[in-house]
Amino acid sequence: MFSKTTFQELSSKYNEPDWLINERLEAFNLIEKLLLPKMQQFKYSDWPLTVNNDFALEQSALKISDNSELEENKVICQDIFEASKQYPEIVQKYLNSVSHFNEDKLLAYNTAFMNNGLFLYIPDNVEIQEPIEIELVQNSMSKSALISHIVIVVGKNSKAKFIQHLSTVGHEKNLANLVVEVQALAGSNVEFSSLDEMEENTTLYFNRRANLARDAHVEWNVAFMNDCNTVGDLASELLGEGSYAYSKAIAITTGNQKVAVNNRVINRGPHSTGLINQRGVLLEDSRLIFNGIGQIVHGAHGSKADQQNRVLMMSDTAQGDANPLLLIDENDVIAAHAASVGPVDSIQMNYLMSRGIPYAQAERMVIHGFLDPVLGAIPKGKVKDRMLAISERKLINGQRSYYKNKK
């Protein structure tokens, strides 16, 4: 049975500061009182997303690629537990400042049982040219939940690109609870790209959220290439005047996989712009739900909210939904949405096949073009190469399964 003493003993073993121990305990006491995050038209209450046994602060592998610019510009980029000791005031200020642990059960669980994380702090007026890359590998050789928390703070008028690669080793059934918080201060520019390829025996919850100050710019490029059941929230809060967020996500689902994503952009500051572009490809017996939520609150005059949610059905037995939602509470705004669910474009297929390209290859070419709004935005490098290879493999395997069942 977990108690205050349990957390104090475990946290003291790793010399955690008192404020972090107290936050863990406060969050733990809320877990049973709070509800799961809302996910429209999707039931996941029976998923194993909280486990209270065998808790320890032993970390899965977290690797930060070498980048000489970080030290030169006095950037803090280190394990979140070490940062909490060396820079306690800064970490305490920004940890849980975007995603608050009292919002729902899974955010509270993340704070209480966090065993992995990164703290990245970029001072004002700094431009990092090379992308900051991290690899996070869940160790599923044994029972070991991955509870990760990444905090990114980009100072005023600073600029940075961040690339994350998530993967799994081993095949033990485990949960993963992954939170990313981005604080984009005034005039900053942030690009966050992620390749998610967790193993099928993982059950994944994610929460990636950004707060944008005046004239800040945040661009999300997320590729859900997991083989596991996945549910989560991608959100941008446009707090400052003139702030801009472009939230792009793609997913390729296979087997009996179930995936549901809330992609939200909330315009709170005047003259802010919130864009959503989601593309999904469904294979075999999988299910995918994209909920696109654009909200312009009262006072955000002169703002824009636009979204596209498009799903390609590559199997007769797959289930896909693209659900656009606009919540507008202000005049003098521009708001629009588009949604589609259907097969590969026959005109594009006929064009490629008329040039001698075999059907299956032509189909994959059309799909890659369909996914390019996100794939094309990922910075060149090994993560992008890996992303392209995974998408090609998933499509080939899905085609083989479909044609085999058709015989």
Side-chain angles (χ1 to χ4, degrees), residues 316-328:
D316 298 335
T317 54
Q319 300 179 55
D321 291 292
N323 303 315
L325 180 64
L326 290 175
L327 304 171
I328 312 300

Side-chain angles (χ1 to χ4, degrees), residues 311-374:
V311 172
L312 285 183
M313 308 294 292
M314 306 301 297
S315 167
D316 298 335
T317 54
Q319 300 179 55
D321 291 292
N323 303 315
L325 180 64
L326 290 175
L327 304 171
I328 312 300
D329 192 26
E330 181 58 83
N331 298 315
D332 184 29
V333 298
I334 298 173
H337 65 75
S340 65
V341 177
V344 171
D345 190 298
S346 59
I347 296 176
Q348 293 176 332
M349 287 293 295
N350 289 336
Y351 175 83
L352 292 172
M353 292 174 65
S354 70
R355 266 62 181 172
I357 299 174
Y359 182 91
Q361 183 181 350
E363 190 174 57
R364 295 196 302 275
M365 290 176 67
V366 172
I367 293 171
H368 279 296
F370 172 77
L371 298 175
D372 189 65
V374 172

Side-chain angles (χ1 to χ4, degrees), residues 21-91:
I21 298 173
N22 292 334
E23 280 204 2
R24 285 188 183 276
L25 182 60
E26 185 179 351
F28 175 76
N29 290 332
L30 289 173
I31 291 174
E32 295 304 318
K33 301 175 184 178
L34 296 172
L35 300 176
L36 290 169
K38 293 181 180 179
M39 185 64 61
Q40 293 181 348
Q41 302 184 35
F42 191 81
K43 181 179 180 295
Y44 68 101
S45 58
D46 57 343
W47 289 15
L49 285 169
T50 56
V51 177
N52 287 347
N53 57 347
D54 299 329
F55 169 59
L57 296 184
E58 297 174 1
Q59 300 169 29
S60 294
L62 175 65
K63 180 181 178 182
I64 306 169
S65 297
D66 292 335
N67 189 327
S68 60
E69 293 180 90
L70 303 185
E71 185 175 355
E72 293 171 3
N73 290 285
K74 298 182 179 179
V75 172
I76 301 170
C77 183
Q78 61 182 213
D79 172 275
I80 198 166
F81 303 110
E82 289 301 315
S84 69
K85 301 170 193 174
Q86 295 187 32
Y87 308 97
E89 293 183 0
I90 300 176
V91 178

Side-chain angles (χ1 to χ4, degrees), residues 48-49 138 145-147 174-178 198 202-206:
L49 285 169
Q138 178 167 24
L146 171 60
I147 317 298
N174 277 316
L175 71 87
N177 181 311
L178 313 178
M198 307 297 278
T202 297
T203 303
L204 171 62
Y205 163 76
F206 70 89

Side-chain angles (χ1 to χ4, degrees), residues 23 103 124 208 223 263 370:
E23 280 204 2
E103 290 182 38
D124 296 346
R208 294 171 174 138
N263 197 335
F370 172 77

Side-chain angles (χ1 to χ4, degrees), residues 108-152:
Y109 181 84
N110 182 279
T111 294
F113 293 98
M114 176 176 62
N115 59 14
N116 186 286
L118 178 76
F119 185 78
L120 172 64
Y121 179 88
I122 299 176
D124 296 346
N125 304 308
V126 169
E127 182 171 344
I128 306 298
Q129 298 290 338
E130 289 295 317
I132 301 166
E133 298 187 39
I134 73 158
E135 292 186 46
L136 179 55
V137 182
Q138 178 167 24
N139 181 5
S140 286
M141 302 296 288
S142 61
K143 282 287 185 183
S144 178
L146 171 60
I147 317 298
S148 173
H149 201 119
I150 294 174
V151 179
I152 300 172

